[in-house]
Amino acid sequence: NAGVTQTPKFQVLKTGQSMTLQCAQDMNHEYMSWYRQDPGMGLRLIHYSVGAGITDQGEVPNGYNVSRSTTEDFPLRLLSAAPSQTSVYFCASSTQYPPSTEAFFGQGTRLTVV
Amino acid sequence: AQSVTQLDSQVPVFEEAPVELRCNYSSSVSVYLFWYVQYPNQGLQLLLKYLSGSTLVKGINGFEAEFNKSQTSFHLRKPSVHISDTAEYFCAVSDQSGGSYIPTFGRGTSLIVHP
């Protein structure tokens, strides 16, 4: 099973460039989310979606855009990259229906903005 | 909104000693609780979860956690750690009381096992 697939694994951007981080899941989960992980800060929620066509902001949404046109895909767009967006990004999917209510994570994207 | 507090940012321990990683969360009527582990340069994987029922939950790699509703805590324990347990551990909570069900994470505890 593929689970949650993130691409790319590594990316270097110049300040002001834009890019899209891809995330796909094959578990038919209704919930998908993007987190960023920074040292000492844990995982902070950027945006999330509770189903196709529905998205909402998390704790740190500024500078990022998302859309959810299908159940499977949830891309994260950086509109104009800034050095403060240097981080490791994780995509996750989950369902509200027990017993498998835990979040399943991708392997992460390590982004450096120079 | 839910919040999760991991009381220790770093826990050093010697191999074969017991360990407890502490986690407290903000109160809600109904929550699901999770512990995840992250090995260096890897994603997060589930250690264990509490949904309902018995307050003592057993997970993988010999870890267990106890849900204490009155103290809003979900501490993780292992009676004897190995070098291979060195990793970052995250506590998480998702609100089942009509919220978004998206988990909120603590800041993580770095477990460092010394030989």
Side-chain angles (χ1 to χ4, degrees):
Chain A
N1 287 342
V4 179
T5 303
Q6 278 183 248
T7 55
K9 286 187 170 54
F10 301 94
Q11 183 70 50
V12 179
L13 286 179
K14 293 183 179 178
T15 297
Q17 285 185 318
S18 63
M19 79 158 295
T20 299
L21 308 185
Q22 300 292 344
C23 176
Q25 54 100 0
D26 62 0
M27 296 171 282
N28 202 32
H29 285 166
E30 63 272 32
Y31 299 121
M32 294 188 75
S33 47
W34 277 101
Y35 296 87
R36 60 177 288 172
Q37 182 179 23
D38 302 290
M41 301 298 290
L43 279 82
R44 292 182 292 171
L45 184 64
I46 304 171
H47 285 285
Y48 66 95
S49 168
V50 300
I54 307 169
T55 63
D56 206 347
Q57 297 181 352
E59 181 186 353
V60 288
N62 292 342
Y64 307 95
N65 236 350
V66 292
S67 60
R68 182 109 178 260
S69 56
T70 67
T71 299
E72 294 78 21
D73 299 299
F74 191 47
L76 177 74
R77 297 182 188 84
L78 278 71
L79 308 172
S80 177
S84 61
Q85 292 178 305
T86 293
S87 187
V88 181
Y89 292 85
F90 287 99
C91 178
S93 73
S94 59
T95 177
Q96 64 177 300
Y97 301 109
S100 297
T101 56
E102 66 269 26
F104 291 79
F105 285 85
Q107 286 299 300
T109 297
R110 188 173 295 273
L111 176 68
T112 303
V113 183
V114 298
Chain B
Q2 291 289 327
S3 67
V4 179
T5 302
Q6 291 185 241
L7 296 158
D8 306 294
S9 59
Q10 204 172 80
V11 173
V13 64
F14 286 106
E15 195 173 18
E16 298 184 7
V19 70
E20 178 180 79
L21 307 184
R22 297 179 292 169
C23 173
N24 287 88
Y25 63 94
S26 60
S27 179
S28 178
V29 174
S30 181
V31 294
Y32 291 163
L33 296 159
F34 309 90
W35 275 99
Y36 291 84
V37 60
Q38 183 183 34
Y39 298 105
N41 299 315
Q42 294 189 25
L44 280 77
Q45 62 184 84
L46 183 72
L47 265 182
L48 49 78
K49 61 186 175 186
Y50 171 81
L51 306 183
S52 65
S54 173
T55 57
L56 184 63
V57 179
K58 293 191 184 297
I60 62 171
N61 300 340
F63 283 93
E64 64 182 31
E66 186 157 18
F67 169 55
N68 188 319
K69 189 174 182 178
S70 62
Q71 297 188 5
T72 60
S73 68
F74 191 54
H75 300 333
L76 181 70
R77 302 186 183 100
K78 186 169 183 178
S80 175
V81 294
H82 301 130
I83 295 285
S84 60
D85 292 323
T86 294
E88 193 82 14
Y89 292 80
F90 293 96
C91 181
V93 58
S94 67
D95 186 350
Q96 302 305 307
S97 61
S100 69
Y101 304 97
I102 300 292
T104 299
F105 285 82
R107 295 194 170 195
T109 297
S110 179
L111 176 62
I112 303 168
V113 182
H114 297 287

